[in-house]
Amino acid sequence: MNPVRKRVAVLISGRGSNLQALIDAAGETGFPAEIALVISDRPDVQGLQRAERAGIARQVLMPKELGGRAAFEAALDEALRKAGIDLICLAGFMRILGAGFVARWQGRLINIHPSLLPAFPGLDTHQRALEAGVKLHGCSVHFVDAGVDSGPIIGQAAVPVLPSDDADSLADRVLVEEHRLYPRCLELVCLGDVQLRDRKVTVASSAAAKGAALANPGAR
Ligand code: GRF
C-alpha cells in the first residue's frame, strides 16, 4: 500500500525551475509528495505559469500590499493551513522569513541554496565562488532556521569549477544538480528517512543503502 503522500507547498519568487523539478518528481509513480500549492511573492513570474500548466493551486501574496512582513507571514500561515500543507519547500524564494514563522514550521520547512554551505550563504554565490578560487562548488538542501542559509544540511551536490567558467556557466552547471538534488531530499524528508538532532541531519541507513544519502546524488 502506498503511504499517504505529503502535501507540499512551494514558495517562489521567479523562474521556478526548481519548482518544475519538484512538480516533475511528484508526477513519478510512488513519489511520497504532491505539490498541492504554489505561493509567489511576485505576480507574473514564470513559476506561476509552470504551476498553472500543472494544474496546481496558486496564490500571490505580496508583503507590501498586505501591509508588511507580519501581515504577509500571517496570510502565508493561513493559506498553508487552509490547504492542509505538511511541508514547505522554498525554491528561489527571495525573502527572509521571520523567526516566529520559522519556529512554527521547524522541521517542515526546507530550502535549496546554490552553494556548498556553509560556504557562501546569501546572494551572488557563483561570482563569490569564482572570486574565492574554489575548485568545487554546488548546492545544498537544508532545513530552514532563523539564520540566513544556516540550517541543518540534508543533502549536497558538487560540481567542478572550470578555468573557463563565468558566473553564468557555473550557475548553469549547479542548476542541473539542484534539479536532481531537491526532489531526492524532499523524498527523504517525506519518507521520514532523515532525523534532525543537535542541528545535524542523519539519513536512515535503509535510505543510505539505496544511495539516496550520497553527498552527490547526481554523480554519474
Ligand atoms: C536557484 O539557484 C536556487 O538555488 C536559488 O535561486 C535560484 C532559483 O531558481 N535560491 P529557480 O527559480 O528555481 O529557477
Side-chain angles (χ1 to χ4, degrees):
M1 199 178 76
N2 262 349
V4 177
R5 298 169 89 205
K6 300 283 186 204
R7 290 177 64 77
V8 171
V10 183
L11 271 53
I12 60 166
S13 299
R15 178 178 59 180
S17 69
N18 278 289
L19 164 65
Q20 189 66 55
L22 296 176
I23 291 172
D24 293 346
E28 290 165 14
T29 313
F31 195 81
E34 64 174 301
I35 311 304
L37 179 63
V38 171
I39 296 180
S40 174
D41 64 345
R42 293 182 195 164
D44 308 322
V45 294
Q46 196 187 348
L48 285 169
Q49 292 163 16
R50 295 179 192 270
E52 184 177 12
R53 267 203 304 278
I56 298 168
R58 309 166 293 287
Q59 233 173 300
V60 177
L61 295 176
M62 293 191 283
K64 256 195 186 157
E65 287 207 337
L66 290 162
R69 182 158 104 173
F72 167 73
E73 289 182 0
L76 189 56
D77 236 356
E78 197 191 329
L80 296 165
R81 288 181 194 285
K82 261 195 186 155
I85 295 303
D86 300 304
L87 207 107
I88 305 168
C89 289
L90 306 182
F93 182 66
M94 300 303 288
R95 202 164 278 283
I96 293 170
L97 293 162
F101 184 91
V102 170
R104 274 195 297 287
W105 288 90
Q106 198 200 0
R108 298 181 298 147
L109 175 56
I110 64 180
N111 180 43
I112 186 154
H113 180 74
S115 79
L116 292 174
L117 291 170
F120 315 123
L123 298 174
D124 301 324
T125 58
H126 308 301
Q127 186 58 36
R128 287 158 63 206
L130 288 173
E131 281 164 14
V134 295
K135 303 303 177 208
L136 283 175
H137 186 43
C139 51
S140 308
V141 173
H142 64 94
F143 286 111
V144 176
D145 67 7
V148 176
D149 304 319
S150 59
I153 294 166
I154 301 166
Q156 294 185 304
V159 302
V161 179
L162 305 179
S164 56
D165 269 331
D166 60 17
D168 289 340
S169 63
L170 188 52
D172 288 346
R173 196 173 312 111
V174 170
L175 196 64
V176 171
E177 295 306 324
E178 292 188 41
H179 296 162
R180 303 165 75 94
L181 181 69
Y182 212 176
R184 297 287 75 86
C185 290
L186 175 60
E187 187 175 29
L188 287 177
V189 174
C190 288
L191 292 173
D193 281 337
V194 301
Q195 271 204 346
L196 178 54
R197 203 178 299 139
D198 298 334
R199 294 189 42 82
K200 271 196 201 150
V201 172
T202 44
V203 176
S205 52
S206 51
K210 280 187 285 175
L214 288 179
N216 189 344
R220 276 167 282 190

